[in-house]
Amino acid sequence: MSASVAVYRDIYTEDRFRQTYGTEDQSRGRERLRDRLAQRCSCSQVDCLHLLKKRLPVCSWLPKYKLKKWLLGDIIAGLTVGIVHIPQGMAFALLTSVAPVYGLYTSFFPVVLYMLFGTGHHVSTGTFAVLSLMTGSVVERLVPIPLALNSSSPEAAEFEAQRIGVASAVAFLSGIMMLCMCGLQLGFLSTYLSEPIVKAFTSAAAFHVTVSQLQSMLGLRLPRYAGAFSLFKTLASVMENVPHTNLAELVISLLCLAVLVPVKEVNSRFRERLRTPIPVEIITVIIATGITYAFSLDSKYDIQIVGHIPAGFPEPRLPALETVPEIAGDTVAITLVAYAVSVSLAMIYADKHRYSIDPNQELLAHGISNTVSSLFTCFPNSATLATTNILESAGAHTQLAGLFTSLVVLIVLLLIGPLFYFLPKAVLACINVTSLRQMFLLFQDLPDLWRISKIDFMVWLVTWLSVVVLNVDLGLAIGVVFSMMTVICRTQRANCSVLGRAANTEIYRSINNHNKCYEVPGVKILTYNGPIYYGNRSFFKADMVQLLGLTPERIRSREKALKAIEKREREAISSVEQGVTDSSFSSKNDLFRSEMAEGEVEAVLIDCSSVIFVDVAGARLFIQVGLYRFCLDTHQLCHEKCLMFMVLISFHRCAWSARRSEYGYTWLTAMRVY
């Protein structure tokens, strides 16, 4: 048993639709700018409280804190992450080319500041390998290592002060940039760093970090290279100096890797069963420090050790602001990377735990974190992959976990820090390398990425190769530009196809993908799935000409026929004026059809429902090809067909097509084929 359904719809012009369903609140658009500003700048107790909760999120979530339900999880997670921060902070300080104690400072101040201003409940801030590597390149370029430097001389202290001054200046300028971006509401810029770009960038940066740590693991004292091809220059230098390897440090590195890698694998495999991950890093640091001290390995085998770590807080001081003009370009890349990684991590865990973050408030939080911490000799910081993952898996619920993390680091700064004097730098290098394990595993996503989107796969590959071959900041820029070019190319090569009608339905689909959809005789219906703008107007025109078969020969023959029609029209008009009728002339359409072959296209309809925007160049293209004409009379196309096409095909409103046809229908674009 079959049933037929008839659907009757009213036909609206744009003006009629606005009159019927338009909004009543149209006076708001005519408000004066002064009135709008006065309304926005109004101050009241409610507005002040709302602004305070928005800009200081701790005032919003802390009064709602569920003490019995959340406190234990925050304590355990905070203490666990704090233990990890100690060796990681000192290790990443080596990447920044500054003393390890500055890594401890960077693991304390940003954590406290983000707890107050951040919106991510499961975000752990502090030192990040990629940022440390990028900052270290700037430090090495501006303050290179002297050829002869005694670590105990006064010149060494001055040298360290210059280096941390440059690193702090990078953090200060990065924080100022983030605050300016927050003021301009530029949080949306993070969307231009797509997931393939971020993953490829971090994976390639892991190779830079690993190669830069080879000299510390082998006990070599080599200069750090910067700029393009720095990774290959470093590899060549290491291979050249392999005969000078310190065997004691090589043995220490191998033993550390033999311990760190399996335990980290256990932490990853049994993450759900373990209440807290095994703190293998801090255990390794304690054992290595004790063995080095007990057997005097530093003096017997010339092992590089951390050295003196002062207890207490650093005195506030201004960074080396005189270097701002020289570091501005590098700081832009560092700022974008720091914000992109931080917001990406915050969004991932916000979606997982079903809460929302404010990208602009994240800019404010990280901007304040970098600016204020730079006054206490800290280098650039951001959210970190490893500690954020540990914080979430250890059971954290709110930002209060950051308080317990900072307490652990504070105890080390005030009491335990000097005990790490004999810690070998090779141990910190091994911690650096093993902390990048997750970044190396990102290659596992490539097969799925190839199946889902080959363009995203190419973006991943180009970004990875650019970062590895050239440099971190230059490779990131190339990846972003290439990603944007793929978007442009996709809009340029949008699909233009012919629509056909499914039999006994009111549905129109592409005849290339649906072999049982047929074209209406004499009518060609085209659809274009993309914008029409200056970048793709020539491609759109070429596709349209190809689908319509408008070869130059056909156009010339049609032009001749049109001229003959116009000539006969003039003769007919002059005959009528003289009172003589021309019986040989019936109508323009009859004559035109006599010049046309049977079955040729008489009218073209353009479905603009998928055209999201049109610029001036696109509008001119329509005018040039004659799409501004809306003369669908009953002699060319019967009224029933005209009604069918106008009602059943969704046409997008276009600025240049605002014409009204003979039957009162609007937004239909039609072209006579000459």
Side-chain angles (χ1 to χ4, degrees):
M1 180 178 180
S2 61
S4 60
V5 178
V7 179
Y8 298 95
R9 303 186 183 96
D10 292 334
I11 301 174
Y12 292 96
T13 64
E14 186 68 21
D15 294 336
R16 182 185 172 191
F17 186 86
R18 283 184 176 179
Q19 292 174 0
T20 307
Y21 299 102
T23 59
E24 297 180 359
D25 188 15
Q26 299 179 357
S27 60
R28 183 175 178 83
R30 294 189 291 270
E31 288 181 356
R32 291 184 299 178
L33 179 62
R34 185 178 63 183
D35 298 334
R36 294 184 185 181
L37 292 177
Q39 185 177 3
R40 285 183 173 270
C41 296
S42 61
C43 184
S44 65
Q45 185 177 359
V46 177
D47 293 334
C48 291
L49 184 61
H50 176 72
L51 181 62
L52 179 64
K53 290 183 178 180
K54 183 178 180 180
R55 295 308 178 195
L56 198 64
V58 66
C59 298
S60 177
W61 59 262
L62 190 58
K64 304 175 184 178
Y65 191 84
K66 300 178 181 179
L67 196 64
K68 295 181 179 180
K69 185 177 181 180
W70 294 344
L71 183 60
L72 181 60
D74 285 341
I75 291 176
I76 295 175
L79 295 178
T80 305
V81 172
I83 293 172
V84 175
H85 263 306
I86 296 166
Q88 182 175 286
M90 292 190 292
F92 290 167
L94 296 183
L95 289 178
T96 318
S97 298
V98 296
V101 67
Y102 300 115
L104 295 178
Y105 298 154
T106 310
S107 299
F108 174 76
F109 291 101
V111 175
V112 176
L113 293 169
Y114 186 84
M115 180 187 68
L116 300 176
F117 295 96
T119 59
H121 300 338
H122 302 84
V123 173
S124 174
T125 58
T127 56
F128 183 45
V130 177
L131 292 185
S132 298
L133 181 68
M134 298 174 72
T135 307
S137 300
V138 180
V139 173
E140 291 284 347
R141 176 168 55 86
L142 296 182
V143 190
I145 300 177
L147 295 177
L149 182 66
N150 188 356
S151 59
S152 60
S153 63
E155 290 81 5
E158 179 63 25
F159 175 75
E160 280 296 335
Q162 292 177 5
R163 287 202 153 192
I164 191 58
V166 173
S168 299
V170 174
F172 181 83
L173 185 58
S174 177
I176 295 297
M177 288 182 179
M178 288 187 183
L179 292 177
C180 293
M181 292 169 65
C182 176
L184 297 174
Q185 300 291 295
L186 297 181
F188 68 90
L189 289 179
S190 61
T191 58
Y192 291 101
L193 292 172
S194 62
E195 183 179 349
I197 292 178
V198 174
K199 288 187 175 181
F201 172 78
T202 53
S203 177
F207 280 86
H208 281 273
V209 174
T210 302
V211 171
S212 68
Q213 295 303 290
L214 288 178
Q215 56 177 322
S216 296
M217 296 171 66
L218 299 176
L220 302 175
R221 293 166 175 82
L222 304 175
R224 178 182 292 187
Y225 294 94
F229 308 105
S230 59
L231 184 142
F232 302 102
K233 294 177 182 177
T234 304
L235 272 177
S237 179
V238 170
M239 296 299 295
E240 184 180 354
N241 290 274
V242 164
H244 303 94
T245 299
N246 188 318
L247 294 180
E249 292 192 83
L250 177 60
V251 171
I252 291 174
S253 300
L254 293 176
L255 290 175
C256 288
L257 291 176
V259 173
L260 290 170
V261 173
V263 177
K264 280 183 171 288
E265 186 68 22
V266 170
N267 286 338
S268 177
R269 291 284 182 90
F270 302 98
R271 180 174 55 185
E272 297 179 356
R273 299 182 183 180
L274 295 173
R275 178 60 177 172
T276 59
I278 301 173
V280 63
E281 292 93 345
I282 193 64
I283 294 174
T284 305
V285 165
I286 293 173
I287 295 176
T289 304
I291 293 175
T292 304
Y293 171 74
F295 295 97
S296 301
L297 298 181
D298 57 322
S299 58
K300 289 183 179 180
Y301 301 102
D302 193 25
I303 291 176
Q304 300 180 66
I305 59 176
V306 168
H308 176 62
I309 297 179
F313 278 126
E315 295 182 0
R317 63 179 181 181
L318 285 176
L321 298 181
E322 65 275 5
T323 61
V324 166
E326 300 176 83
I327 65 175
D330 299 282
T331 306
V332 172
I334 292 173
T335 302
L336 292 177
V337 172
Y339 178 62
V341 172
S342 301
V343 172
S344 299
L345 284 175
M347 287 182 175
I348 289 172
Y349 289 102
D351 292 340
K352 182 177 181 179
H353 293 275
R354 298 180 182 179
Y355 63 89
S356 60
I357 65 165
D358 184 356
N360 287 302
Q361 181 63 26
E362 289 293 298
L363 272 175
L364 179 65
H366 291 287
I368 293 176
S369 176
N370 279 278
T371 304
V372 175
S373 62
S374 68
L375 303 178
F376 295 92
T377 60
C378 296
F379 49 85
N381 62 86
S382 69
T384 63
L385 296 174
T387 55
T388 299
N389 186 25
I390 293 173
L391 188 72
E392 190 268 341
S393 61
H397 297 282
T398 65
Q399 294 95 312
L400 190 64
L403 176 63
F404 303 101
T405 299
S406 59
L407 286 177
V408 174
V409 181
L410 179 62
I411 293 173
V412 174
L413 284 173
L414 296 179
L415 302 174
I416 307 177
L419 299 179
F420 293 110
Y421 181 91
F422 291 97
L423 174 62
K425 289 186 178 180
V427 176
L428 298 180
C430 293
I431 293 174
N432 272 333
V433 173
T434 55
S435 66
L436 303 173
R437 172 183 167 277
Q438 291 180 334
M439 298 184 186
F440 289 116
L441 295 179
L442 293 175
F443 281 97
Q444 297 176 350
D445 298 337
L446 287 181
D448 292 335
L449 196 61
W450 173 263
R451 288 191 293 268
I452 295 172
S453 174
K454 293 179 174 58
I455 293 179
D456 287 341
F457 177 87
M458 290 303 300
V459 170
W460 199 103
L461 191 61
V462 168
T463 304
W464 189 90
L465 290 175
S466 301
V467 174
V468 168
V469 174
L470 298 177
N471 201 11
V472 176
D473 48 358
L474 184 59
L476 176 64
I478 292 175
V480 173
V481 171
F482 181 78
S483 178
M484 298 300 295
M485 289 299 297
T486 60
V487 176
I488 295 174
C489 292
R490 276 183 277 188
T491 60
Q492 285 184 325
R493 294 296 185 178
N495 182 30
C496 184
S497 57
V498 179
L499 297 182
R501 181 186 178 188
N504 301 321
T505 69
E506 299 175 349
I507 300 174
Y508 291 81
R509 292 292 184 268
S510 173
I511 60 175
N512 295 329
N513 301 327
H514 303 81
N515 56 2
K516 295 184 179 180
C517 292
Y518 304 98
E519 297 184 61
V520 178
V523 179
K524 186 77 72 173
I525 309 173
L526 304 181
T527 183
Y528 192 69
N529 301 320
I532 301 175
Y533 67 111
Y534 70 94
N536 69 346
R537 61 173 184 171
S538 59
F539 299 103
F540 170 67
K541 182 178 180 180
D543 291 343
M544 185 172 59
V545 168
Q546 180 183 4
L547 292 174
L548 296 177
L550 295 177
T551 60
E553 293 76 11
R554 294 188 62 189
I555 294 176
R556 283 195 295 269
S557 63
R558 299 294 175 86
E559 288 177 350
K560 291 181 181 179
L562 181 61
K563 290 179 180 179
I565 292 172
E566 293 176 349
K567 181 178 179 181
R568 295 196 180 188
E569 280 184 344
R570 289 194 297 270
E571 292 176 355
I573 292 173
S574 61
S575 300
V576 171
E577 290 177 349
Q578 296 173 4
V580 180
T581 59
D582 187 0
S583 58
S584 64
F585 179 79
S586 58
S587 71
K588 179 175 72 173
N589 296 288
D590 294 337
L591 180 62
F592 188 70
R593 286 178 178 176
S594 65
E595 301 288 340
M596 295 174 58
E598 185 69 24
E600 289 198 2
V601 178
E602 300 181 22
V604 175
L605 303 179
I606 307 295
D607 178 9
C608 297
S609 59
S610 299
V611 179
I612 58 176
F613 72 89
V614 180
D615 67 351
V616 176
R620 287 175 180 165
L621 172 65
F622 276 89
I623 296 174
Q624 291 172 2
V625 298
L627 295 184
Y628 64 99
R629 302 187 59 167
F630 295 88
C631 48
L632 281 177
D633 52 32
T634 53
H635 297 287
Q636 292 178 256
L637 192 64
C638 66
H639 178 66
E640 289 78 13
K641 287 184 180 180
C642 186
L643 179 63
M644 177 185 67
F645 287 122
M646 290 179 181
V647 174
L648 298 182
I649 299 180
S650 172
F651 289 94
H652 187 71
R653 179 183 176 186
C654 302
W656 69 89
S657 63
R659 305 287 190 276
R660 191 180 302 277
S661 68
E662 180 181 352
Y663 304 106
Y665 306 124
T666 320
W667 321 127
L668 179 64
T669 305
M671 178 180 68
R672 280 291 304 274
V673 180
Y674 295 135

